[in-house]
């Protein structure tokens, strides 16, 4: 089985712009979660989608949004980019009921976003 | 609120040494799950182990072993006879049992193994 894929792998944007990141989960996985990783804050949960519904959202401003499609692929959008949004954005997919039943998550390689 | 503390920020050892990575967690849930993930320099997080709150049995997998103690809210990870390839950042994480739970990570411990 192919693993979790994320595109693009690297992205450079300027302040004020918006960005869309894409994640394709492992085939058969219906749960997709997104995380932001920075040196200062570490790994922080952004949100989880399960069967096209957002089940939980972390403590991030409304500029961060996401969605999931019927094929379980997910996108994450950040509007009005700020310098502090520079980070590694990781996507993870999970089998069965996802995070709710303690299923392990399988992570993609991440998208490295740099905001200038 | 849920919280995971990895007090050791960095650990350096020489090959073949044993090393233990500490993890202390806080939760009010009676059912919860604990995880360890490894992040090598390539950046991709690799799942190592999952434990649920009702299973305190220690586990050994090759050179890796995990010690789960509910009495001290700890889930420590030991690498026996460390190797250079073990160099990575190791994260301990915690999640609940209900829909809408999040996976909460500790800050991670950077392990450097030199030859």
């Amino acid at each position: 089985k192919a693993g979790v894929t994320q595109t693009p792998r690297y992205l450079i944007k300027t302040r004020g712009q918006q960005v869309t990141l894409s994640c394709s989960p492992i085939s058969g996985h219906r749960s997709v979660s997104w995380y932001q990783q920075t040196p200062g804050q570490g790994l922080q949960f952004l949100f989880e989608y399960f069967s096209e519904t957002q089940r939980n959202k972390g403590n991030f401003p409304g500029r961060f949004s996401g969605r999931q499609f019927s094929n379980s692929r997910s996108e994450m959008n950040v509007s009005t980019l700020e310098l502090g949004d520079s980070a590694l954005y990781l996507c993870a997919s999970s089998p069965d009921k996802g995070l709710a039943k303690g299923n392990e998550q399988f992570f993609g390689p991440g998208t490295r976003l740099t905001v200038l | 609120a849920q919280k995971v503390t990895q007090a050791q920020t960095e650990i350096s050892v020489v090959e073949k040494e044993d090393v233990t990575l500490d993890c202390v967690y806080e939760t009010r849930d009676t059912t919860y799950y604990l995880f360890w993930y490894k992040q090598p320099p390539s950046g991709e997080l690799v799942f190592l182990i999952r434990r649920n709150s009702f299973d305190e049995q220690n586990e050994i997998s090759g050179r890796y072993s995990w010690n789960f103690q509910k009495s001290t809210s700890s889930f420590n990870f030991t690498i026996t006879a460390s190797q250079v390839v073990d160099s990575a950042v190791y994260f301990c994480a915690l999640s609940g049992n209900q829909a809408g739970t999040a996976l909460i990570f500790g800050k991670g411990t950077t392990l450097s193994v030199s030859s």
Side-chain angles (χ1 to χ4, degrees), chain A residues 46-102:
Chain A
L46 277 158
F47 26 65
E48 182 197 15
Y49 284 88
F50 184 83
S51 293
E52 301 178 67
T53 301
Q54 186 183 89
R55 290 210 292 203
N56 193 9
K57 189 172 196 272
N59 189 24
F60 280 84
R63 300 184 298 107
F64 291 81
S65 63
R67 59 177 176 169
Q68 186 180 33
F69 302 96
S70 57
N71 62 358
S72 293
R73 190 177 70 83
S74 177
E75 288 182 348
M76 191 193 94
N77 184 273
V78 188
S79 62
T80 320
L81 283 166
E82 301 177 358
L83 295 178
D85 297 332
S86 293
L88 179 67
Y89 289 89
L90 292 162
C91 167
S93 75
S94 188
D96 302 323
K97 298 297 184 182
L99 279 174
K101 294 301 179 185

Side-chain angles (χ1 to χ4, degrees), chain B residues 66-90:
Chain B
W66 291 269
N67 180 254
F68 175 30
Q69 291 193 337
K70 285 178 76 171
S71 60
T72 55
S73 297
S74 65
F75 185 42
N76 297 336
F77 173 31
T78 298
I79 301 175
T80 303
S82 59
Q83 300 176 1
V84 172
V85 293
D86 295 328
S87 296
V89 183
Y90 290 87

Side-chain angles (χ1 to χ4, degrees), chain A residues 5-16:
Chain A
T5 58
Q6 292 186 245
T7 56
R9 293 292 311 279
Y10 302 92
L11 209 47
I12 299 175
K13 292 285 188 178
T14 56
R15 277 183 303 173

Side-chain angles (χ1 to χ4, degrees), chain B residues 28-102:
Chain B
R28 293 182 180 178
D29 293 343
T30 53
T31 302
Y32 52 89
Y33 302 88
L34 295 162
F35 304 81
W36 275 95
Y37 283 87
K38 173 182 179 180
Q39 188 175 39
S42 62
E44 195 162 331
L45 278 161
V46 177
F47 166 77
L48 294 177
I49 190 172
R50 173 190 60 202
R51 260 288 175 265
N52 73 54
S53 52
F54 298 108
D55 183 2
E56 286 193 71
Q57 191 172 9
N58 292 333
E59 182 156 338
I60 298 174
S61 176
R63 296 183 297 107
Y64 295 171
S65 62
W66 291 269
N67 180 254
F68 175 30
Q69 291 193 337
K70 285 178 76 171
S71 60
T72 55
S73 297
S74 65
F75 185 42
N76 297 336
F77 173 31
T78 298
I79 301 175
T80 303
S82 59
Q83 300 176 1
V84 172
V85 293
D86 295 328
S87 296
V89 183
Y90 290 87
F91 292 95
C92 181
L94 167 71
S95 71
N97 191 46
Q98 64 283 358
T101 190

